[in-house]
Amino acid sequence: MTWVIWRQYRVTAAIAGAILAAFAVLLLIAGLHDAAQWHTALADCAKNGTCGDLSQTVSLGSGPVNALTMLTLAVPLLFGMFWGGPAVARERETGTVQFAWTQSVTRRRWLSVKTGWLLLAGAVFGGAVAGIVTWWYAPLNALNQDQFTQGRFDIQGIVPIGYAVFAVALGIAAGTLIGRSLPALAVTGGVFIAIRLVVTYWVRVHYLPAVTTIYSVTQNFTPQG
């Protein structure tokens, strides 16, 4: 099963890997420049005692690279549409499911192994993209302290991994139920975007904000609440 799945998705995996490598190189170059600029500004303001207004004097993360990182919001959706959607739908559409499900491998094993590898691939690629973007945003997060705002929170940390796994699972489910690749792609895209909008504009507003407290280790401290 693993060999068959690799044969089916090796071209797609190679393309995704090449795009990921190019994306990593671009963000590495831009990120090293921003990091050097941030540390230089930090050292200068420490000498002059003007670190309180760094956000007014230092500009980081501007330009096309910033726009490119925001486009990674769509990466989980692409995984769901082009990896998850056709996973079962293509087999049903072309009729090869009648061959695949009558071999010595049971239907349950065929589906579980294929689903498992696709979900793992989505998590790995989603995590790789999120890791690169999170590293690139480090100086910007330190400067503005706004990593929990809309758009920034959704492309950093473990959030893209969760969305990637969800999108692939949604695509597999849609393709299994509909049995046609193109309708499955459309349903996956529509449902995923709708859920993202609901989470962003109706759910996240009820999340508790992050609280930062600074206190002396030589005094007693009791958190409020």
Side-chain angles (χ1 to χ4, degrees), residues 19-187:
I19 296 174
L20 178 63
F23 178 71
V25 170
L26 178 61
L27 260 66
L28 177 63
I29 296 173
L32 290 175
H33 175 268
D34 283 352
Q37 184 179 354
W38 163 247
H39 289 297
T40 300
L42 202 61
D44 292 340
C45 79
K47 293 179 181 178
N48 304 324
T50 58
C51 291
D53 59 349
L54 266 182
S55 59
Q56 305 297 326
T57 58
V58 179
S59 177
L60 298 175
S62 59
V65 177
N66 186 29
L68 184 61
T69 60
M70 297 303 296
L71 290 178
T72 59
L73 282 167
V75 169
L77 175 59
L78 296 178
F79 292 157
M81 292 178 64
F82 296 105
W83 286 0
V88 179
R90 186 190 294 119
E91 302 280 1
R92 292 185 58 189
E93 197 172 29
T94 58
T96 53
V97 69
Q98 300 177 13
F99 173 78
W101 285 3
T102 55
Q103 303 305 302
S104 58
V105 176
T106 63
R107 299 181 184 183
R108 179 174 297 179
R109 183 183 175 191
W110 182 90
L111 185 60
S112 61
V113 173
K114 192 166 191 178
T115 300
W117 275 115
L118 289 177
L119 292 177
L120 179 61
V124 170
F125 275 92
V129 173
I132 297 169
V133 172
T134 303
W135 173 83
W136 183 82
Y137 265 101
L140 199 59
N141 291 336
L143 176 64
N144 298 323
Q145 296 293 314
D146 62 348
Q147 59 264 42
F148 287 98
T149 57
Q150 289 183 12
R152 302 283 176 86
F153 176 79
D154 304 271
I155 59 177
Q156 301 182 57
I158 64 173
V159 178
I161 302 176
Y163 274 127
V165 172
F166 166 69
V168 174
L170 177 63
I172 294 173
T176 302
L177 295 175
I178 297 173
R180 295 291 183 271
S181 296
L182 288 179
L185 297 183
V187 170

Side-chain angles (χ1 to χ4, degrees), residues 173-204:
T176 302
L177 295 175
I178 297 173
R180 295 291 183 271
S181 296
L182 288 179
L185 297 183
V187 170
T188 302
V191 173
F192 183 84
I193 292 174
I195 291 177
R196 286 295 303 263
L197 291 175
V198 169
V199 171
T200 299
Y201 294 105
W202 282 277
V203 177
R204 282 212 54 209

